[in-house]
Amino acid sequence: MRFPQFSLLAALIIAATALSPAYAEAPVERLRLDVFTTEDRPVRGATEFLKHHPGATLHVHRVDRIERLEAELSVNLSTNPDKARRQALERLQGLSKEHQEQLEQTAKGLALALQLGVKRIPAIVIDQERVIYGVTDLAAALQHDQRVPRSETR
């Protein structure tokens, strides 16, 4: 999946919400994984990763939430652009606190993905330096990271 494109509504939402061997070999101190994925591609191995790396952090960013909400909010909008814009804003303002928090987290995840140079989804970024594309399995990503010279992972 290509990195999501920002639409006008997505920009408004962002503005408004302003036991694998790989585990044993990976460094424990300050290990950070950022997983950029979609709802239909779940992260695998999170429990094992956290068990074997008690000081590590795992951040899962589901980058398709804005697109999904945009699709929901766009249902039956007026064909008149001004009226449709007002309807969309009214719907955004009526979102539950939970939806607003999810959208804020998604917006932050998208901003981080852009900052880290993520070009495709799914991607796992290790220590905010190395990107492994095409997997959501944490052990597989760590194994791949150990096999590939550091200059080739991005």
Side-chain angles (χ1 to χ4, degrees), residues 59-130:
H59 303 273
V60 178
H61 310 280
R62 296 218 179 350
V63 297
D64 61 340
R65 284 186 176 149
I66 289 177
E67 289 175 343
R68 289 173 181 263
L69 179 67
E70 181 178 1
E72 290 175 28
L73 293 176
S74 298
V75 173
N76 298 323
L77 284 178
S78 172
T79 56
N80 177 303
D82 291 330
K83 188 174 181 181
R85 196 171 297 115
R86 282 192 306 275
Q87 288 173 321
L89 285 173
E90 287 171 6
R91 292 176 184 181
L92 277 173
Q93 291 170 347
L95 289 176
S96 70
K97 185 171 177 72
E98 180 182 344
H99 270 108
Q100 291 174 7
E101 289 172 0
Q102 287 178 352
L103 290 174
E104 183 178 346
Q105 291 305 312
T106 300
K108 287 178 182 177
L110 286 169
L112 180 61
L114 291 171
Q115 178 185 357
L116 295 174
V118 173
K119 295 177 178 42
R120 295 184 311 274
I121 305 298
I124 297 177
V125 181
I126 301 169
D127 292 330
Q128 295 191 330
E129 296 175 353
R130 302 176 304 281

